Amino acid sequence: MQLPLRRRIADRVWQWRRATYATGTVVMIAALAFVFISISTPTSSIEVSTEPTFFDANRSLRVTQELARLYPNRQLGSEDATGAVAWLSEKLGALGIEFFQEKVFVPFGDKRMPVENVWVVIPGASDETILFSAPRDPAMDPESSSLAQAAPTAVLLDLIQVFAGHQHNKTLVFLSSEGGSQGGLGLSAFLNSYPERDRIAVAVSVEALGAEGRTSLEAGTTGPGMATPGWLVDTATRVLARANLHLRVPNLQQQVADQALRLFSGEQVAALRAGIPAITLMDRGEGTVTSGGLATQGAALERLISSLDASGMLPRGTNAAIVLASGRFISKQALTILGALMLVPALIMTVSWLLVTRLRPEAWVRHLRNMASFVAPVAMTLLVAWLAARLGLIPVYLNQAVISSQAAIQPNWWIALGLVVLGFIFFAVARHFIGYLKPLENRASTEMAKLTSGLALLTVGLLLLLTASPFSLAPTVTMAWIWPLCTCFLEPPSPTVPWWPHPRSNLWLLGLSLIGPLAFYAYLAANTAAGWLGAWWFVLVQVVSGAYGIAGPAGATFLTAGFLLLMGSRRLQLRPVESLRRTDELKMVEPPPPRVLKVRRKTRTSR
């Protein structure tokens, strides 16, 4: 009678895997509880001003209609954009208000676009500064009317007249900018040149205002790896509530997706990048601009500035990563800890396979060369794409939201085809000169080393994404949890579930791990103007523009290389033996028998 089968290596790995996922699940639940408990409340509460407002809605409506009639097409670099600057300068000069003007050429796509800023500084008793900004160019929302897109400039002019007529505590800067929908091109240029930037404590921006009958305003709160501080969201919410307006903050899923894909829109992006607490208020959607709508929203904006002005020292810094509608927020530190704990299965299983796979140092050197043969082609392809961007073949937008630009979402098919062809060439050359074509170890050791190498590439890629941002890790969390399930062994069929499949490769697990990246791609295609065909080109533009930094593409390179390496690893069968005490464990493992194509021979019957 045979003794029970003893598969030491397989049993050990299965035990580690069960313990890994049990531990990982407990850690993940504890981490989620930690993040939930660590949701912070705003550090300070700004008292809402109860002083009367002096915003003139009728005057603002007349200015809105004049700007929309004279200069309806104020896109970046257009003649109407230049005319709008001259018109605004004439208005400020007629009011006798001193203003400053600056024209800067900023990189945008494959050329440099002129961005012209006009601003007014109203000194206060303190040097602490409140910045109020209103872009002159059209907002990104195509449903907003021309009057709604011209209203922010008119509101800005009226608020200048209101606050220039009385004393206040803080210095006020009113900025008329451009490129608000493109991540705040004008505001970014202003912050780079303004000599008193360090004294700016808060920035408030507006887009598309004045629709009649609105009950809410939408808030732009996301920035590069950070969000609007909770105290500013709380203050804006309470101020708008006095005007019977509700502040709509992007939900949790939208904030995570926008951060992971870098889909930033609104001028708060530029201010948050500079470390300044900022929020963008906008009235999106169709609607008729009336004096009633301007009266409600304009008075609320005046009260918001008055509340910030009347308060004491405003909080500095932007520690929020995700902000909720209540003003409570999740800090960047808590989110980073959660991202690190989500890597528990990948880290433990990688170490486990390194302990199980016993190879000599010279064998590991050969396998490291094989890993390099998968990493190098992907890295070289991305390098060629970066060089093509510097030569003007691919647009570059330098950390700005580019989804509104047609050049960013319209694929260049010749460049794309060239990159694909070069990628295949790089892969063939690297595999021929760097990788091994015929392994020297037995089949079991080779397959186990390939699996170990693939998991190691996965771990390195995930760690690189985590160093870039915990949001960059979000699309690949499914890989961190599903790839460690890959094993070189065909698990014995269970009598309780005989229908469970036992495939010989890891392809189905690798495909299942792509749920996360595909879900984010679907979000990008369905919720933006890129569409299904343009979404991948937009991601490429973001990569070569540097929106994901260096760690982002590097992490994606290692993940792709790990996918290719694991795709070629096969599962092995275990040879049933009575005992493995005196036998080398690896010799008891053999590859599955090759599939034999059975050909039925037709026999002729004799008549």
Side-chain angles (χ1 to χ4, degrees), residues 101 189 310 400 403 445 467:
Q101 187 173 341
Q400 293 137 13
I403 203 67
S445 298
T467 58

Side-chain angles (χ1 to χ4, degrees), residues 44-48 231 233-243:
S44 65
S45 179
I46 306 298
E47 185 178 354
V48 177
W231 67 265
V233 173
D234 174 67
T235 302
T237 300
R238 290 186 289 111
V239 169
L240 293 179
R242 287 185 60 91

Side-chain angles (χ1 to χ4, degrees), residues 144-227:
S144 297
S145 65
S146 59
L147 286 179
Q149 295 174 352
T153 302
V155 170
L156 177 79
L157 274 172
D158 206 90
L159 290 177
I160 291 174
Q161 297 178 65
V162 169
F163 284 97
H166 60 83
Q167 296 181 349
H168 38 83
N169 298 325
K170 296 180 174 62
T171 298
L172 304 180
V173 175
F174 292 92
L175 171 67
S176 176
S177 63
E178 290 182 298
S181 297
Q182 287 76 33
L185 293 178
L187 180 56
S188 180
F190 171 78
L191 293 175
N192 289 334
S193 61
Y194 188 61
E196 307 295 335
R197 188 185 76 167
D198 294 339
R199 296 179 178 178
I200 299 177
V202 64
V204 178
S205 178
V206 291
E207 290 184 14
L209 297 173
E212 177 74 23
R214 285 286 193 265
T215 59
S216 64
L217 289 180
E218 186 173 337
T221 59
T222 54
M226 62 194 74

